[in-house]
């Protein structure tokens, strides 16, 4: 039983790389927007408490389009 049969030298999994690179970029972008908008307004404890949920929101911003067909787009171009 070969568990690596789907990985080939030609790049059978190269269509996964762009979405995985996009995930941290989107999450960091959401946190940066949060910092720009609310960094000076909120008290430090509340600001630090909401950094995790904002990053999780970035994950959902990434996951919903991937579920809607962007994954197939990346697979088609590779």
């Amino acid at each position: 039983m070969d568990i690596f049969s789907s990985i080939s030298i030609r790049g059978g999994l190269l269509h996964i790389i762009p979405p995985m690179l996009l995930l941290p970029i989107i999450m960091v972008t959401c946190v940066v927007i949060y910092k720009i908008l609310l960094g000076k307004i909120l008290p430090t404890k509340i600001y630090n408490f909401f950094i995790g949920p904002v990053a999780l929101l970035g994950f959902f911003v990434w996951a919903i389009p991937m579920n809607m067909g962007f994954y197939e787009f990346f697979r088609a171009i590779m």
Side-chain angles (χ1 to χ4, degrees):
M1 182 171 148
D2 187 16
I3 59 171
F4 299 111
S5 63
S6 63
I7 300 174
S8 66
I9 295 175
R10 292 187 196 139
L13 293 176
L14 280 180
H15 59 275
I16 293 176
I17 294 172
M20 288 298 131
L21 292 176
L22 213 57
L23 175 60
I25 293 169
I26 291 174
M27 292 175 76
V28 168
T29 303
C30 287
V31 171
V32 167
I33 290 171
Y34 171 68
K35 181 177 181 172
I36 290 170
L37 293 177
L38 300 173
K40 300 286 183 184
I41 298 171
L42 292 176
T44 306
K45 286 186 178 184
I46 295 173
Y47 171 77
N48 289 338
F49 179 76
F50 284 115
I51 286 179
V54 168
L56 186 62
L57 176 71
F59 172 76
F60 285 117
V61 166
W62 172 84
I64 291 171
M66 288 301 144
N67 192 25
M68 291 173 47
F70 281 103
Y71 176 76
E72 283 80 15
F73 169 75
F74 286 117
R75 193 170 64 173
I77 63 171
M78 291 293 178

